[in-house]
Amino acid sequence: MDFREGLTFDDVLLVPKRSPVVSRSQTDLRTKLSRNISLNIPLISANMDSVTESQMAIALAREGGIGIIHRFMTIEDQVDEVLKVKRSESVVIEQPYTVKSSTTVAELYKHMAEYGVSGLLVEDGGKLAGIITRRDITFEKNMKRRVSELMTKNVITAKAGTTIEQAKEILHKHRIEKLPLVDDKGRIAGLITSKDILKMDQYPHAAKDRKGRLLVGAAVGVKGDYLERTEALLEAGADTIVVDIAHGHSENALNTVHMIKKAFPSCDLIAGNVATGDGARDLIKAGVDAVKVGVGSGSICITRVVTGSGVPQLTAVIDAVKAAREYDIPVISDGGIRTSGDLTKALAAGASSAMIGGMFGGTDESPGKTLVKNGKKYKMYRGMASYMASLGRKYRQEGPEVVDSDDLNDYVPEGVEAMVPYKGSVVEIVRQLAGGLRSGLSYCGAKTIPEMQRNAEFVRITGAGFIESQPHDVDVM
Ligand code: XMP
């Protein structure tokens, strides 16, 4: 047998080069997520149920990256998560949430909490009837009162097609915060809010679609409802669909890619995971717009332990990039990123972006509750092929009665459940990663990611070199 050598992040360093960069602000982290989509920073939050729902996706997109909403929920719930991102911040909210004037105060509170908004348009008979905000109900004691009695009826509106500059003037002139847009017949045609206009200034690098809405992706599986799910997610505005399967170089995955592209030719499609050039090439031939690479590299993965299969991540990326470059298709490095140095190495090896799970787990924006153990705060982070994640899935899909002890013994997990320390907001982590990457570019003598990829020179290090690279011979505070 001819043994090749597989390397990963800790096996190498990037050789420092003469650099024209004198300040990190001169660097530019823009990159391609896929054939059709660009990002302002090369970071993607993983489609895992302990990492990405709408809150994480909103935070990532505001910073310039993208979140992929996981698929371990009903189609309706996943669509809702996509809509929350799409509606969270847009220049014009095209389909604002509405209530009827017969809605009670109690129902209104529920809607406001569910949609995460502080005011709603009131629609009767297909026309704008008024506007109701939290201020109108703050001291209302009678929960049965109707919106019609409390709403503002003479609403200041503007015509569909109003520009942001015109909207700013109207909002300021009337000292109002919400400006509904209506068509000639009085039907609701959109909503512009002062909050969204302010956010445009607050998040100048946000990754947005052509309509000014935050970017978001959503995952689908390879069995069952994947076509129906894809259709609903695209309808809700998902910018990219990620076919999510552990072994992305399986006939199942290739067939799913083919079927989705056939049904929705204009859908931006990412698929994975693969760990080889052949895997990347076959997915590209099946129709993907980006290839996701990483088998067993994730922090909660035990695929390599359980199956004996996988390729160390740096080699996997290099091999996949070599194949994908022939077709000009971007590669996403997925799993195993623990530091901004790892991220820099993954990109220098040719990946256009990186997907991250563990580093983004345990944050305010990741789903799940904070747990306290020995006085320290934690959150759960688990592999999607872990025992508990799979059990939960089976339970949700088939009901509690099917989950008996035989089923449990049948399942062979390829991931683990873990606790990660609570880390506060993911924004800090994203900014540290981006800051480290900017410095990494500078050490490679590059101002952009493609330039770094051209300049990159890796040197292989020994165990002693690795030890030297860590803080050593001191007590780290
Ligand atoms: P990190 O290292 O960022 O990796 O935590 C996240 C990636 O890990 C993959 N993933 C799994 N791999 N078993 C696996 O072998 C699992 O149960 C599992 N769950 C997630 C996935 O690619 C993710 O983006």
Side-chain angles (χ1 to χ4, degrees):
M1 270 196 201
D2 190 11
F3 284 102
R4 283 180 65 209
E5 195 167 48
L7 299 178
T8 193
F9 304 125
D10 279 348
D11 294 317
V12 298
L13 283 170
L14 284 157
V15 178
K17 297 280 165 88
R18 178 173 175 152
S19 179
V21 182
V22 292
S23 143
R24 282 201 298 199
S25 64
Q26 291 179 318
T27 53
D28 180 348
L29 299 186
R30 276 179 296 179
T31 192
K32 287 224 128 186
L33 168 73
S34 62
R35 197 199 311 250
N36 314 298
I37 299 177
S38 295
L39 300 176
N40 293 327
I41 57 169
L43 296 175
I44 310 165
S45 68
N47 43 288
M48 299 169 72
D49 69 358
S50 49
V51 181
T52 311
E53 290 178 358
S54 53
Q55 244 192 303
M56 178 67 75
I58 289 169
L60 255 287
R62 279 182 180 160
E63 292 302 309
I66 191 170
I68 310 296
I69 307 284
H70 72 87
R71 65 187 169 89
F72 304 101
M73 53 180 125
T74 62
I75 296 179
E76 292 73 33
D77 287 346
Q78 199 182 10
V79 160
D80 251 16
E81 293 300 307
V82 168
L83 287 176
K84 278 188 203 157
V85 183
K86 283 295 170 192
R87 284 181 174 146
S88 67
E89 185 173 320
S90 57
V91 184
V92 178
I93 304 163
E94 286 187 334
Q95 292 167 302
Y97 294 115
T98 59
V99 287
K100 295 253 174 303
S101 61
S102 56
T103 306
T104 62
V105 173
E107 288 164 341
L108 189 65
Y109 270 116
K110 247 173 61 189
H111 290 315
M112 283 179 172
E114 187 185 333
Y115 304 147
V117 296
S118 60
L120 285 157
L121 300 185
V122 185
E123 187 182 33
D124 275 333
K127 291 190 178 169
L128 179 71
I131 189 163
I132 182 113
T133 68
R134 198 171 283 281
R135 257 187 314 193
D136 299 319
I137 54 170
T138 304
F139 298 111
E140 180 55 57
K141 292 199 182 94
N142 181 359
M143 291 295 126
K144 289 191 179 143
R145 264 188 102 177
R146 307 271 166 190
V147 162
S148 53
E149 299 171 57
L150 299 160
M151 68 186 188
T152 303
K153 289 182 182 134
N154 294 324
V155 185
I156 310 280
T157 62
K159 282 194 189 139
T162 299
T163 65
I164 294 302
E165 284 314 308
Q166 290 166 332
K168 268 187 189 169
E169 272 178 36
I170 302 170
L171 289 164
H172 177 63
K173 184 170 161 205
H174 298 280
R175 308 287 194 273
I176 50 171
E177 292 186 340
K178 292 185 164 65
L179 181 64
L181 306 182
V182 289
D183 67 12
D184 298 343
K185 299 205 168 95
R187 289 177 300 210
I188 297 169
L191 176 68
I192 298 178
T193 73
S194 53
K195 217 160 112 190
D196 288 330
I197 293 179
L198 289 174
K199 276 187 205 151
M200 275 168 46
D201 300 333
Q202 207 179 340
Y203 303 107
H205 305 299
K208 294 187 167 178
D209 65 16
R210 260 182 277 138
K211 292 181 181 167
R213 304 174 302 177
L214 294 176
L215 292 185
V216 63
V220 301
V222 297
K223 286 191 204 144
D225 65 11
Y226 70 89
L227 280 177
E228 191 190 340
R229 196 175 276 268
T230 301
E231 184 171 20
L233 292 166
L234 292 174
E235 180 74 16
D239 298 281
T240 187
I241 298 293
V242 177
V243 174
D244 168 37
I245 175 170
H247 188 11
H249 198 187
S250 64
E251 296 295 342
N252 254 347
L254 297 171
N255 182 49
T256 301
V257 167
H258 174 74
M259 295 301 281
I260 293 179
K261 268 289 175 179
K262 197 168 141 202
F264 313 101
S266 59
C267 160
D268 187 85
L269 194 59
I270 299 172
N273 282 11
V274 296
T276 60
D278 283 347
R281 199 173 289 110
D282 283 346
L283 280 178
I284 292 167
K285 284 184 182 159
V288 297
D289 300 292
V291 176
K292 201 147 68 74
V293 174
V295 173
S297 47
S299 57
I300 34 53
C301 299
I302 50 171
T303 295
R304 294 179 189 172
V305 180
V306 172
T307 69
S309 240
V311 175
Q313 187 64 1
L314 197 76
T315 296
V317 168
I318 290 170
D319 289 351
V321 166
K322 205 168 158 198
R325 283 244 166 98
E326 293 167 27
Y327 305 86
D328 206 15
I329 291 290
V331 162
I332 299 164
S333 174
D334 178 15
I337 305 269
R338 303 148 304 167
T339 60
S340 51
D342 291 345
L343 172 65
T344 309
K345 290 172 192 173
L347 298 172
S352 297
S353 62
M355 178 171 264
I356 291 181
M359 277 193 90
F360 293 166
T363 56
D364 290 330
E365 292 82 357
S366 66
K369 292 206 165 56
T370 313
L371 318 162
V372 178
K373 189 181 162 197
N374 298 334
K376 277 177 85 180
K377 284 188 183 175
Y378 296 87
K379 278 183 101 167
M380 203 232 325
Y381 173 55
R382 66 182 185 187
M384 292 319 308
S386 68
Y387 197 65
M388 290 311 286
S390 308
L391 186 60
R393 228 160 21 240
K394 204 165 172 56
Y395 199 89
R396 271 195 304 280
Q397 282 162 4
E398 298 167 35
E401 62 281 1
V402 299
V403 185
D404 59 28
S405 55
D406 285 346
D407 288 321
L408 303 189
N409 290 332
D410 277 351
Y411 189 69
V412 182
E414 285 185 31
V416 296
E417 293 91 22
M419 285 201 309
V420 285
Y422 167 71
K423 304 166 189 161
S425 173
V426 75
V427 173
E428 282 310 309
I429 297 165
V430 169
R431 292 188 182 168
Q432 286 294 320
L433 279 173
L437 173 60
R438 286 182 192 280
S439 299
L441 254 63
S442 156
Y443 276 97
C444 286
K447 289 185 176 168
T448 65
I449 294 169
E451 211 180 327
M452 171 173 72
Q453 290 168 341
R454 285 194 295 275
N455 289 359
E457 182 189 341
F458 283 107
V459 60
R460 203 170 153 201
I461 61 173
T462 60
F466 175 75
I467 292 168
E468 186 187 60
S469 304
Q470 311 299 311
H472 53 86
D473 302 313
V474 289
D475 271 338
V476 177
M477 298 203 323

